[in-house]
Amino acid sequence: MEIRLALAGNPNTGKTTLFNALTGSTQHVGNWPGVTVEKKDGRLKSDKSVIIEDLPGIYSLSPYTAEEIVSRNYIIHDKPDAILNIVDATNLERNLYLSTQLIEVGIPVVIALNMMDVIRKNGDQINTKKLGDMLGCEVVEISALKGDGIQDAVKKAIAVAKSKKEVVLKQKFSDEIEAVIEKISGIITGKADSRSLRWYAVKLFERDEEIQQDLHLHSSDLGKIENLVASCEETADDDSESIITGERYAWIASVTEKCIHKKDTSGMTTSDKIDRIVTHRILALPIFAMIMFLVYFISISTVGTMATDWVNDVLFGEIVPTYLGGALENLGLADWLYGLIMDGIVGGVGAVLGFLPQMLVLFICLAILEDCGYMARIAFVLDRIFRKFGLSGKSFIPMLVSTGCGVPGIMASRTIESDNDRRMTIMTTTFIPCGAKLPIIALIAGAFFPDQVWIGPSAYFLGIVCVIISGIILKKTKLFAGDPAPFVIELPAYHLPGVGNVLRTMLDRGLAFIKKATSIVLVSTVLIWFLQSFNLRFEMVDAEESMLAGIGKSIAPIFAPLGFGDWKAAVASLTGLIAKENLVGTFGVLYGFEEVAEDGEELWATLGSAYTPVAAYAMMAFNLLCVPCFAAVGALRREMMSGKMTWFAVGYQCALAYIVSLMIYQFGTLLTTGAFSIGTVFAIVCLLFVIYLLFIKKAYSPEKKPKLTLERA
Amino acid sequence: MPLTMLKQGQSGVIKELHGNSAAVRHLEELGFVTGENIRVISELAGNLIIELKGSRLALNKVTASRIILAD
Ligand SMILES: Nc1nc2c(ncn2[C@@H]2O[C@H](COP(=O)(O)OP(=O)(O)OP(=O)(O)O)[C@@H](O)[C@H]2O)c(=O)[nH]1
Ligand SMILES: [Mg+2]
């Protein structure tokens, strides 16, 4: 028989760390609240009949944001056999608030007190036995990070799941409330799962609309309940939700007082001291800019480049051509097959894989950023600025996640409360260059701007500027009008990123990149090679007369005002839609094939002489900002849950990319060569239009709309 | 008086919360309940980092102005 265990708990308590340790998965772990936004299942390594479900973190069973609904629905509707409630022992009071509700649901619960390593280090003491007795369930001490006690915790959870023992929460509300809850329970008996009767009654007392609908209660029953609640509220002079929350917290305080012995906390912790600096009024932004500059500088211009140069010049430049090429020649292959392997696959896929070292360095940097605790701080710091442009600081977390990959970045926007903010974040987050765009940046930086370190970071800050500009422009439209939701975020204590965790994340993302390069990119480059080798009559021809040149030439004029109006760049940009690495692969096939056989080191030199640096930068900007890859558009579609919004987003991204790239090329050319043309006029018109949208256009304001927000004290 | 009036290092006791019901609800569940002690750890142009029940939370100015402290 299969047993389903759910890992539930507050955000950032170590659920995913435990999940990975128990199942051997490599799900994303990070030191900020809201890393996991989707449920994930896996099987216990030591007993495959046990299914473990990792859930997004929740603060309570009344969901506030989209990812919290997933967790509540899983617990309430899918009813796991037992819940392993992961509790952050360093933050006991606020974590037990959820625990009391989980126990109330009636599913067997085992509490795993996580982060015990920190508690021990701090010299604090928790009386686990007493805590368990007072709560009415078993409590186990663990450290998910170190692996301490985790097998014991699972064993206990499996045992309670098998015993199907009823659990009863020992917490009681005040007598009047208990009496009302008793009456509500009476009304809904037989209409709700009997195990969870008390939980349902409390929820109805709180007027939870979803539960009211779920239970299909008769309107007369609802009326009875409403009367009971209303009279209670009148005596207490408070609304029902606040009464329940207040009493729960009061009871928890009385429990923790008896069970936990903490050292004095009134001083400043190390985290507080760091925060004084990184959230400093003046220093905060320069520090952030510095960190991001370093991330790109290190991965594109230093460590990463050295390794990449070796891979490009020596591995794919000399070793592979010499040995593989020699071997193939010895085999006496047909010309076309030799061309396919050497020019198509080695030239294309090799060009992409050549950037692997730089990507691995980027992934390491990002994993360190994500695991140290800085993410929540930067959301807080940027809130002050983003808010002026209509976005909340929480939008920045998806953007940092997008630096790795746009798909999880788009999904991370689920933690944003306001619908309009969330939609806007989904639309703009892919302006931030993702890992797959790194090869494009590195290629342009290497081929056109050798020794200029600002190219990589500039691509990143270009993305942020475009997000901000979009924020201002879109907020003025009816679709996105409205203030961002109030900003509250938990700040986890800083900690040194775990070496294992960082390496695992790097390997995981690196492998995903290699997989992509040897599947999608491989197929694409083979196709590109084929199309550029043959004409419509399937005769092997010079690339200039090929089918591909024909296709490219028909769309190239669109890009002429942007400075890269030749068919090769047009085709490359097109293939970038499938996967952004394709752009590099396509260039590898189109520009590399003559050289690969003779002199690999010259691989990028021909490319470097094909465009001016300004045109190359414009091409990079266009490809970074324009529609992300198909996978990201798919994610965008899922999160928007609207085809219309998806088309709008894609259209907006194309338009923005085109305009920005046009301005870069035209103004750049004007500045560097003094050449003034009709294109320059277009660019000036675009600039004026953007200025109008930014500064002059009036914001949409909903007039004569009744005020809907309920004021309550 | 609203939480925004506290200076770095000062603390106060929550009296009530203002605002729309979903936001108030969320704040309450995070532990901003009547009678609870709040200490301001640091302040950044009206935005605050506070201590609540032994953990650190960051709030922006608007949110802080909705949290009313006992005088
Ligand atoms: N010191 C210590 N840190 C831990 C422990 N378990 C997890 N962490 C750290 O806590 C942070 C959060 O871990 P996650 O596993 O991502 O937390 P989560 O509960 O899945 O978080 P959400 O998905 O956001 O709900 C990471 O930085 C972990 O390294 C532990 O036992 N001790
Ligand atoms: Mg998680």
Side-chain angles (χ1 to χ4, degrees), chain A residues 9-20 27-37 54-58 86 113-118 142-147 370-373 492-493 495-498 501:
Chain A
N10 280 22
N12 208 39
T13 52
K15 297 177 293 301
T16 307
T17 308
L18 180 63
F19 177 79
N20 286 345
Q27 291 301 317
H28 195 177
V29 167
N31 194 15
W32 80 90
V35 180
T36 308
V37 293
D54 183 24
L55 298 174
I58 46 177
I86 317 301
L113 273 187
N114 193 22
M115 315 250 182
M116 283 309 288
D117 51 323
V118 183
I142 68 165
S143 167
L145 197 63
K146 305 235 165 2
E370 291 176 351
D371 206 23
C372 72
H495 69 106
L496 279 178
N501 190 13

Side-chain angles (χ1 to χ4, degrees), chain A residues 7 14-32 34-43 52-56 145 367 370-371 401 408 411 414 500-509:
Chain A
L7 302 183
K15 297 177 293 301
T16 307
T17 308
L18 180 63
F19 177 79
N20 286 345
L22 292 174
T23 63
S25 323
T26 51
Q27 291 301 317
H28 195 177
V29 167
N31 194 15
W32 80 90
V35 180
T36 308
V37 293
E38 251 188 343
K39 61 178 164 58
K40 269 276 160 2
D41 54 36
R43 283 176 190 269
I52 299 186
E53 193 90 26
D54 183 24
L55 298 174
L145 197 63
E370 291 176 351
D371 206 23
V401 175
M411 284 172 42
R414 288 186 189 171
N501 190 13
V502 169
L503 288 182
R504 193 173 46 224
T505 313
M506 179 202 77
L507 274 182
D508 204 42
R509 292 179 186 175

